[in-house]
Amino acid sequence: MTDPCPCGSGLSFEACCGPYLDGKPAPTAEALMRSRYTAYARNDMAHLERTLAPRQRAAFRPAETLAWSADVVWTGLTVLAVTDGGPDDDTGVVEFRAAFEKAGEPMTLHERSRFKKKDGCWVYVDGRPGSTEPAPAPAAPKAGRNDPCPCGSGKKYKRCCGR
């Protein structure tokens, strides 16, 4: 039986991200993003470095990245949105959530990653934190029957808004 691809595509590693980690160019921005997730899951620093835009490649520190990921267990990838990034596009954006555990603590990376084609190959340009949902408003304190009404009428709640 073949191993499932860490990217969660439902395909085997060999039929999904394996060829990209071996050097085959990814056909879309999403395929590259999935292969980069898989590279993190498999500690493949060469693929991570190879698929960076030239400006980011100069700052990439494989040993530091490998040290960080030494106790990371990647637990799931969810692609939330894809804008452009197809075979005929020059740029693309992929928003995703990557779940992992670091030192046993569950964590999530939510990112909007930008990609571009460089010499016909997709490369990772940068990522920004993904959209966040606002925190829910705090619940209004409940008034007891004999408390003053929160509407400010001066009456007891049971004789005002509590009717």
Side-chain angles (χ1 to χ4, degrees), residues 21 34-45 47-48:
L21 271 63
R34 287 181 173 279
S35 75
R36 287 179 56 80
Y37 173 89
T38 298
Y40 275 105
R42 296 174 68 100
N43 292 320
D44 187 335
M45 298 302 118
H47 181 70
L48 292 173

Side-chain angles (χ1 to χ4, degrees), residues 5-6 32 46 65 69 76 83 91-94 100 102 105 126-127 130 156:
C5 193
L32 181 64
T65 304
S69 68
T83 305
T91 62
V93 176
V94 180
F100 63 98
K102 175 118 174 107
E105 182 178 339
D126 61 17
K156 287 186 178 184

